Amino acid sequence: RPVDTLILNGCECEPYLTADYRLMVEASAPIVAGSLLAARAAGAVRIVISIEDNKPEAVARMRDAAAGTGIEVVATTTKYPMGGEKQLILATLGREVPTGGLPLDCGVVVVNVGTAAAIARAVLRGKPLTHRIVTVSGRGVHRPCNLLAPVGVSHGALIAAAGGLTDQAVRVISGGPMMGFAISNLDTPITKGTSGITVLTGQDVQAEEETPCVRCGRCVDVCPLHLVPTRLALASRNKDWNMARRYYLTACMECGSCSYVCPARIPLVQLIRAGKATMPRE
């Protein structure tokens, strides 16, 4: 499928996470070099670097680095989950990726700014991907920070480098609070896709009792992919795979917006995630 545009994703929309932001501020030139290489590989004639408008320093640094290259740097509206590929393409180019489709279906390739920097390092310097920037944050650590960490190091080692856990820490999440997942073993290694470690306190994770769905439709209103999360969760809970396929269970990006707004405190995204993992493949 022909590709005409490469979008560089600088929209780090998860709360607490700032790894991509620091990379854009401190290593803008490698990102620009990597985007030019990625566009060459994909056959794209246009390159757009999209950054949320609450990161003015990153926008300014990237515009300075991209001067004279023909690369466009645009500031998009700060709105969760702008970092999702489909939302980013729609906000940046006005193109809509079809349900169940890929960015390639509308002539676009999306590359993260960290990936672009890694491409430049690999092609220009012959260096493999061995390290990545990881945000260690949350009220459960003493010194929130961004760390250049080797892939494979444990979550516990990075938390220790951030001053260790506070007395109020109760939950460690690999990733951000919206799309990450809790871990019980701090010896779990990070991967090349681990963008952050979020440590929450008891105040952050106060559990509320689940009540029956009131059919208010709030989950439908906030779903960025125009799905029906309550139906997907019901299908997953009852293992009704015909309903799950009819309502496009696998299209869910697991952004967590539905769970966040649900007045009945139904764990919608957790049920959907479990359903995607257990649904038999056709």
Side-chain angles (χ1 to χ4, degrees):
R1 285 165 285 189
V3 171
D4 59 75
T5 304
L6 173 79
I7 295 180
L8 226 60
N9 188 352
C11 294
E12 196 169 31
C13 55
E14 274 259 38
Y16 291 102
L17 303 187
T18 56
D20 287 346
Y21 169 70
R22 293 311 312 171
L23 184 65
M24 288 186 287
V25 169
E26 300 183 30
S28 52
I31 294 173
V32 169
S35 67
L36 292 169
L37 290 165
R40 174 76 176 272
V45 296
R46 182 186 181 193
I47 304 174
V48 181
I49 302 177
S50 188
I51 307 169
E52 286 185 305
D53 57 13
N54 67 344
K55 302 175 176 66
E57 186 177 0
V59 173
R61 293 290 182 92
M62 292 307 303
R63 281 178 176 163
D64 289 342
T69 64
I71 295 175
E72 304 169 49
V73 179
V74 300
T76 57
T77 303
T78 302
K79 184 177 182 180
Y80 183 81
M82 188 60 75
E85 287 185 339
K86 295 182 179 180
Q87 291 70 48
L88 187 62
I89 292 171
L90 182 60
T92 305
L93 303 177
R95 303 180 191 177
E96 189 165 353
V97 179
T99 300
L102 297 170
L104 287 174
D105 295 324
C106 58
V108 180
V109 167
V110 180
V111 175
N112 180 264
V113 291
T115 303
I119 290 171
R121 178 178 170 84
V123 175
L124 301 179
R125 298 191 177 183
K127 302 291 186 180
L129 177 61
T130 57
H131 291 67
R132 68 154 295 135
I133 299 176
V134 179
T135 300
V136 184
S137 188
R139 291 191 286 185
V141 291
H142 284 289
R143 295 193 307 272
C145 57
N146 285 293
L147 302 170
L148 181 62
V151 175
V153 71
S154 70
H155 285 67
L158 296 184
I159 292 172
L165 299 173
T166 66
D167 294 337
Q168 293 77 36
V170 298
R171 183 173 299 171
V172 177
I173 297 176
S174 182
M178 296 296 287
M179 299 184 72
F181 55 90
I183 60 171
S184 58
N185 186 353
L186 294 184
D187 290 331
T188 303
I190 70 163
T191 67
K192 64 180 181 180
T194 305
S195 57
I197 301 171
T198 308
V199 185
L200 303 179
T201 65
Q203 183 180 356
D204 297 324
V205 297
Q206 288 180 347
E208 297 187 38
E209 182 180 358
E210 179 182 344
T211 60
C213 174
V214 297
R215 304 186 187 281
C216 64
R218 292 185 188 177
C219 60
V220 180
D221 291 339
V222 300
C223 180
L225 298 178
H226 311 297
L227 302 175
V228 187
T230 182
R231 284 285 184 180
L232 297 177
L234 180 65
S236 297
R237 179 171 270 170
N238 295 331
K239 294 182 169 51
D240 186 343
W241 306 129
N242 288 328
M243 179 191 290
R245 294 187 180 96
R246 191 164 67 249
Y247 284 90
Y248 300 101
L249 176 69
T250 55
C252 172
M253 62 182 289
E254 302 176 21
C255 68
S257 298
C258 54
S259 294
Y260 186 81
V261 302
C262 179
R265 294 296 177 257
I266 301 171
L268 295 168
V269 72
Q270 290 84 353
L271 289 169
I272 292 171
R273 186 175 292 167
K276 289 168 71 173
T278 56
M279 185 173 69
R281 295 183 179 180
E282 291 183 316

